[in-house]
């Protein structure tokens, strides 16, 4: 009776306390794992990559892998397949993953526990974006497919493999301890004897709806179901952020007469094997933080002594996935959907990976094929001279990378694909990347040696100027001066251009350690303050949303750029939303953003104000989806699969024999009771007759 | 724990009840109706007792474990007493209904005797009680895991199934004895039924020492079964006749139709 009444009562109690999970038997069986990051499926024009679980989850007996030789146990020797292999990050290598992929009938899934970083690890390919850059077989056969320089030699290509079992990652915290404890209690063979049931097992759910490639999943989306469309995959994309020194009318697209623009570009996004865990400290953050600092350094001088050419700062999203952002901007420029077009572009300076120097030099990469043209070569040489003279008085120097070497993977390649524009990519590597953790989850603050003294509070850490910040500040100063000179500015003013190290270190702290700090809070809009979390923002570009709201990282860069290049105005909040009613303001030329502002020392109310800046968002979705060419070789066709739910849980499993025994006992009980009841019911008259009963009673 | 355990436990818990239903109740619509009505009465008693328990839990101190345990014991005792009260109420209702049915029907004899009603109502109580005990547990037994990760005993599913089977059969026996004692006004045997029900319920507080609760329950079930057999009109002589296949001669001798 305890069982029946307590269950009913528990249900009533729990129904009232709605946040309690209510099935007490399930709580005795399963332990849910909440802090897991799955590997999901991405598709492009030709392949599907990533991981897939079966629709009802994959269950396997947990096995903690101790070394590569220990793989024999789950793959051949172990008596209780399938196994759920738990790896530490040092064992997460290509050879181990490929062996498990080939024996996938015995492997139910893989769980990677992220611990200390190995000396080098890059799950990306050795030649990033090799088919969508400018180096194709027709452009220059020798430079295509990284024949001259392999940019990412440590790349093992794991991110682009397809696994038909789920792969999850866990951090080293309490949940991982529970798993290890369960494993040591139940799954260890004691003194050579066999393993005793019950065994500790794990179940992973990450069923992905999309299969084969982008064209297939988009075709399935477009089948006309009357009630609701079935969406199985979504294209990747977000928004590019751009700003210019002199504002452009945002409604006038196409070629602008007598406009010559210098574009300064950087990329925002990065990825890792587990997409939601992307960091990208050296890969992307070093570049765009330097560019933001350069934009801020140029603010004063361009207002006092404006240069002849305009400078356009462009931050591209989605560059990791075949240059989504830059290909879209080039497409818009070619089709008169952007405020300028390719004829207006004078030259391009791109900031690549600049934080991990192996010496006192940074390198200037240019494209040898376009430099065969005399004018282009002159312009590039001019730009190189401007850059090299900008490092006077700084602690580093700029050296040209080898003349026969192609450009590293960069947004400039997409511009060159459309037109031979003079351009330079600034990077800290001469040939292969210095980044040993390119596009992996180890490319984080520790990789940049971003260390703070231990006794500082978070706000004090925000203000502390690290060595990394100092070196990036110098790079930003050089970039700003070079841009000013390139844009035809007054040479006398050049030495007044200096980037602010405090600004740089605050940005590095916000983008690499915690985004929820006082400065970021001050520059963000009130309705977007939930984007700021106690951890760094997400750098994976993610799925393009139909709403007009950019993602956290993009919005943060937009508001920062507005703060660093715009001006504060006296408009009230309602005026800030409708500035066209005022005589001197125009939303065609500027964007007006209402930001939270700082908290003054003696009060709790923020002093919000309206920022006027020439900062805009431009849609960064691949032109392949506009043109509905889903097998395009020209543009990015990356999509992300949809899924229903993703979860993980651990529990004990009983032996097959015990289960079959239970079934056998049940069937035996059923048959016995059927027989006995049949016997009793046919003989009921005799059995239950009572001669003392009156004859009239019926039975 | 997968489908084998699910079906195994279902058959163990509900096997005898299904067999009884199939062979004795399913053919006669009147018996089916009274079975369902009996189940409904049990359900009402449980609703009432859980309402009382819920209110007392709300006004009690939720942090104190000993108070909650005391409240649980109180809840169990109250539930048992309410179930027996509702059984008595059902008996009264059936007596009245039977007289009414007799006046309405064209035949002279009662369509269903009080003894059959006792059996049917007991089985109805048993079905509903078994369903409430077991359905939650069966739903969780279908998943891949078994109990034990927090250190509980592994035999939870099997023990629950056997306990449920015992409780269903016990309800049936209690129903027969209860109605019989009410007919004959033997109030002391009524008290014994109530006390044995209380005893079986309180034995479950021994869990997770499943041996301590299952073995005495089965012993009690055996004795109740014997008592119910004798109350229903059985005797050792009849049993011997059946088992030695001399029943045909017996019937012929007494001019009874088969």
């Amino acid at each position: 009776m305890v069982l029946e009444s307590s269950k009913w009562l528990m249900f009533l109690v729990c129904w009232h306390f709605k946040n309690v999970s209510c099935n007490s038997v399930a709580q005795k069986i399963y332990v849910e794992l909440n802090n897991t990051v799955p590997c999901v499926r991405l598709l492009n024009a030709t392949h599907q990559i990533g991981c897939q679980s079966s629709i009802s989850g994959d269950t396997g007996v947990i096995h903690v892998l101790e070394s590569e030789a220990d793989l024999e146990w789950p793959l051949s020797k172990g008596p209780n397949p399938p196994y759920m292999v738990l790896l530490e990050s040092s064992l997460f290598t290509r050879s181990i993953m490929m062996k498990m992929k080939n024996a996938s009938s015995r492997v139910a899934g893989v769980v990677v526990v992220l611990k200390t970083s190995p000396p080098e690890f890059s799950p990306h390919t050795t030649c990033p974006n090799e088919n969508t850059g400018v180096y194709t077989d027709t452009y220059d056969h020798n430079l295509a497919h990284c024949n001259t320089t392999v940019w990412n030699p440590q790349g093992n290509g794991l991110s682009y493999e397809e696994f038909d079992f789920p792969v999850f990652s866990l951090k080293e915290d309490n949940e991982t301890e529970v798993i290890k404890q369960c494993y040591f209690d139940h799954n260890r063979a004691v003194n050579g004897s066999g393993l005793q049931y019950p065994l500790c097992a794990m179940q992973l759910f990450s069923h992905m709806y999309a299969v084969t490639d982008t064209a297939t999943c988009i075709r399935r989306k477009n089948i006309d179901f009357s009630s609701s469309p079935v969406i199985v995959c979504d294209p990747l994309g977000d928004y590019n952020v751009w700003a210019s020194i002199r504002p452009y009318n945002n409604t006038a697209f196409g070629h602008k007469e007598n406009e010559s623009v210098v574009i300064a570009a950087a990329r925002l996004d990065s990825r890792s094997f587990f997409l939601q865990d992307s960091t990208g400290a050296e890969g992307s953050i070093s570049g765009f933080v330097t560019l933001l600092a350069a934009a801020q350094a140029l603010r004063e001088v361009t207002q006092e002594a404006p240069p002849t050419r305009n400078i356009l700062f462009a931050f591209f999203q989605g560059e990791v996935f075949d240059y989504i952002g830059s290909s879209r901007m080039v497409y818009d420029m070619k089709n008169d959907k952007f405020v300028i077009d390719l004829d207006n572009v004078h030259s391009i300076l791109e900031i690549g990976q600049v934080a991990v120097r192996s010496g006192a030099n940074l390198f200037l990469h240019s494209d040898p094929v376009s430099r065969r043209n005399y004018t282009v070569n002159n312009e590039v040489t001019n730009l190189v001279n401007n850059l090299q003279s900008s490092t006077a008085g700084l602690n580093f120097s700029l050296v040209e990378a080898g003349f026969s070497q192609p450009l590293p993977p960069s947004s400039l390649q997409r511009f060159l694909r459309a037109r031979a524009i003079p351009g330079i990519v600034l990077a800290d590597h001469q040939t292969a990347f210095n980044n040993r953790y390119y596009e992996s989850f180890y490319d984080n603050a520790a990789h940049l040696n971003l260390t703070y003294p231990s006794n500082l509070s978070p706000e004090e850490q925000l203000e502390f100027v690290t060595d990394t910040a100092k070196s990036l500040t110098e790079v930003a100063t050089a970039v700003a001066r070079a841009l000013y000179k390139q844009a035809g500015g007054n040479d006398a003013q050049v030495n007044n251009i200096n980037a602010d190290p405090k600004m740089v270190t605050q940005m590095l702290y916000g983008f690499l350690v915690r985004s929820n700090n006082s400065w970021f809070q001050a520059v963000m809009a009130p309705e977007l303050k939930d984007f700021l979390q106690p951890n760094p923002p997400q750098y994976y570009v993610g799925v393009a949303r139909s709403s007009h709201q950019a993602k956290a990282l993009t919005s943060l860069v937009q508001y920062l750029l507005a703060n660093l290049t715009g001006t504060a105005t006296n408009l009230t909040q309602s005026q800030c939303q409708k500035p066209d009613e005022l005589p001197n303001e125009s939303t065609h030329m500027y964007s007006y953003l209402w930001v939270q502002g700082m908290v003054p020392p003696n009060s709790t109310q923020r002093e919000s104000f309206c920022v006027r800046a020439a900062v805009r968002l431009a849609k960064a979705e691949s032109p392949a989806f506009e043109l509905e060419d889903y097998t395009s070789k020209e543009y990015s066709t990356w999509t992300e699969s949809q899924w229903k739910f993703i979860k993980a849980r651990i529990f004990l499993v009983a032996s097959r024999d015990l289960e079959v025994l239970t079934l056998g006992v049940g069937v035996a009980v059923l048959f016995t009771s059927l027989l006995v009841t049949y016997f009793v019911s046919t003989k009921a008259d005799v059995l239950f007759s009572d001669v003392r009963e009156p004859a009239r009673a019926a039975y | 724990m997968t489908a084998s355990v699910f079906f195994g436990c279902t058959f163990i818990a509900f096997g005898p009840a299904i067999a009884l239903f199939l062979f004795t109740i399913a053919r006669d619509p009147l018996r089916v109706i009274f079975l369902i009505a009996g189940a409904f009465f049990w359900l009402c008693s449980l609703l009432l007792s859980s309402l009382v328990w819920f209110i007392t839990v709300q006004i009690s101190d939720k942090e104190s474990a000993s108070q909650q345990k005391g409240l649980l014991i109180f809840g169990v005792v109250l539930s048992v007493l309410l179930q027996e009260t509702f059984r008595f109420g059902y008996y009264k209702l059936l007596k009245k209904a039977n007289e009414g049915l007799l006046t309405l029907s064209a035949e002279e004899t009662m369509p269903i005797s009080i003894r059959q009603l006792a059996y049917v109502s007991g089985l109805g109580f048993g079905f509903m009680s078994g369903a409430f005990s077991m359905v939650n547990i069966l739903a969780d037994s279908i998943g891949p895991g078994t109990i034990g990760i927090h250190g509980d005993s592994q035999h939870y599913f099997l023990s629950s199934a056997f306990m449920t089977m015992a409780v269903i059969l016990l309800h049936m026996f209690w129903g027969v004895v209860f109605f019989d004692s009410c007919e004959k006004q033997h109030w002391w045997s009524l008290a014994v039924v109530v006390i044995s029900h209380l005893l079986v319920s309180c034995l479950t507080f021994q869990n997770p020492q499943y041996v301590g609760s299952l073995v005495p329950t089965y012993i009690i079930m055996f004795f109740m079964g014997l008592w119910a057999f004798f109350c229903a009109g059985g005797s050792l002589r009849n049993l011997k006749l059946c088992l030695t296949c001399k029943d045909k001669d017996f019937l012929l001798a007494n001019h009874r139709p088969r």
Side-chain angles (χ1 to χ4, degrees), chain A residues 148-392:
Chain A
T148 332
T149 319
V150 177
W151 296 110
N152 187 24
Q154 294 105 343
N156 55 30
L158 269 180
S159 293
Y160 289 85
E161 288 288 338
E162 187 202 337
F163 296 101
D164 58 3
F165 47 74
V167 182
F168 277 50
S169 92
L170 291 174
K171 301 219 180 358
E172 271 257 88
D173 56 6
N174 288 342
E175 284 185 351
T176 323
E177 277 312 305
V178 168
I179 299 175
K180 292 214 170 129
Q181 192 59 42
C182 182
Y183 172 75
F184 285 123
D185 287 340
H186 296 102
N187 287 16
R188 293 286 238 170
V190 177
N191 289 341
S193 63
L195 290 177
Q196 297 281 347
Y197 273 98
L199 294 175
C200 196
M202 190 188 293
Q203 186 175 35
L204 299 178
F205 294 84
S206 68
H207 180 72
M208 302 285 140
Y209 289 153
V211 282
T212 322
D213 57 29
T214 296
T216 310
C217 84
I218 300 275
R219 184 188 77 221
R220 289 179 184 178
K221 177 159 69 161
N222 289 336
I223 295 175
D224 194 19
F225 287 121
S226 55
S227 51
S228 52
V230 174
I231 300 181
V232 289
C233 67
D234 303 298
L236 298 184
D238 191 10
Y239 287 88
N240 295 325
V241 182
W242 64 269
S244 54
I245 305 271
R246 291 199 298 268
Y248 284 115
N249 186 338
N250 203 31
T251 52
F253 294 145
H255 184 76
K256 295 259 177 337
E257 282 299 323
N258 299 331
E259 271 287 314
S260 180
V261 182
V262 176
I263 297 185
R267 83 160 194 212
L268 287 179
D269 70 319
S270 68
R271 70 160 295 177
S272 72
F273 185 80
F274 301 103
L275 290 169
Q276 278 107 334
D277 234 353
S278 310
T279 46
E282 153 81 337
S284 54
I285 297 177
S286 62
F288 77 76
V289 163
T290 309
L291 191 57
L292 282 170
Q296 194 253 343
L298 279 172
R299 170 163 67 178
E300 270 185 44
V301 73
T302 49
Q303 278 168 357
E304 288 172 9
T308 33
R309 300 194 183 99
N310 204 353
I311 304 178
L312 189 133
F313 300 100
F315 296 86
F316 294 114
Q317 266 279 22
E319 297 298 274
V320 174
F321 293 101
D322 290 337
Y323 304 120
I324 297 178
S326 52
S327 65
R328 181 55 183 255
M329 185 172 274
V330 172
Y331 173 82
D332 285 344
M333 282 184 183
K334 274 174 27 178
N335 292 305
D336 290 340
K337 291 189 191 149
F338 195 65
V339 293
I340 54 173
D341 80 348
L342 287 168
D343 292 325
N344 293 121
V345 178
H346 174 260
S347 49
I348 301 181
L349 172 63
E350 179 166 344
I351 324 281
Q353 308 178 68
V354 290
V356 178
R357 286 188 226 165
S358 58
N361 288 337
L362 286 178
F363 298 94
L364 304 172
H365 297 260
S366 58
D367 170 46
V369 176
S370 61
R371 280 180 87 172
R372 291 180 198 149
N373 178 310
Y374 182 69
T375 16
V376 173
N377 193 26
N378 274 354
E379 284 298 338
V380 173
T381 319
N382 196 18
L383 181 51
V384 169
N385 288 337
N386 282 337
L387 277 162
Q388 284 176 332
S389 56
S390 304
T391 58

Side-chain angles (χ1 to χ4, degrees), chain B residues 37 110 118 133 160 164 178 180-181 195 217 219:
Chain B
M110 290 207 283
S133 301
S160 309
T164 306
F178 193 97
D180 191 61
S181 356
I195 289 174
T217 306
I219 295 175

Side-chain angles (χ1 to χ4, degrees), chain A residues 1-10 12-13 16-17 23-31 59 178 182 186 197-198 200 203 649-656 658-660 662-667 669-670 673-675 677-679 681-691 693 695-696 698-699, chain B residues 1-2 4-5 7-9 11-12 15-16 19-20 22-24 42 46-47 50 53-54 58 62 76 80 83 109 113 115-116 129 132-133 136-137 140 143-150 152 154 156-158 162 165 167 171 197 201 204-205 229 232-235 238-239 242-243 247 250-251 257-258:
Chain A
M1 282 312 178
V2 181
L3 298 169
E4 55 193 57
S5 48
S6 65
K7 205 131 286 105
W8 175 235
L9 303 174
M10 198 67 67
L12 274 183
V13 171
H16 270 256
F17 300 102
N23 197 332
S24 44
V25 179
Q27 279 171 355
K28 281 185 200 257
I29 305 180
Y30 303 109
V31 174
T59 313
V178 168
C182 182
H186 296 102
Y197 273 98
C200 196
Q203 186 175 35
R649 55 188 185 178
I650 57 170
F651 44 86
L652 295 185
V653 280
S655 66
R656 192 102 189 98
L658 188 63
E659 295 175 8
V660 173
T662 312
L663 182 63
V665 168
V667 171
V669 164
L670 183 67
S673 47
L674 281 170
L675 275 172
T677 313
Y678 178 70
F679 173 71
S681 72
T682 46
K683 311 266 171 123
D685 306 343
V686 176
L687 273 177
F688 297 114
S689 71
D690 191 338
V691 291
E693 281 271 358
R696 270 218 199 135
Y699 289 116
Chain B
M1 245 169 94
T2 73
S4 349
V5 171
F7 282 113
C9 287
F11 292 153
I12 292 174
L20 286 166
L22 274 178
F23 284 121
T24 58
W42 187 89
L46 190 71
L47 181 65
S50 41
W53 182 86
F54 183 69
Q58 289 297 341
K62 295 207 181 69
V76 165
V80 168
Q83 283 175 44
T109 54
S113 76
R115 204 175 269 168
Q116 288 167 358
S129 145
F132 261 79
S133 301
N136 240 352
I137 300 175
D140 283 318
T146 183
I147 297 218
I149 196 167
H150 295 294
D152 306 300
Q154 262 206 87
Y156 183 73
F157 292 129
L158 264 181
F162 277 110
M165 169 168 82
V167 163
H171 266 293
H197 192 170
S201 295
T204 59
F205 282 111
F229 178 66
S235 63
N238 293 346
L239 194 59
C242 270
L243 288 175
D247 49 328
F250 172 73
L251 283 174
R258 241 292 189 198

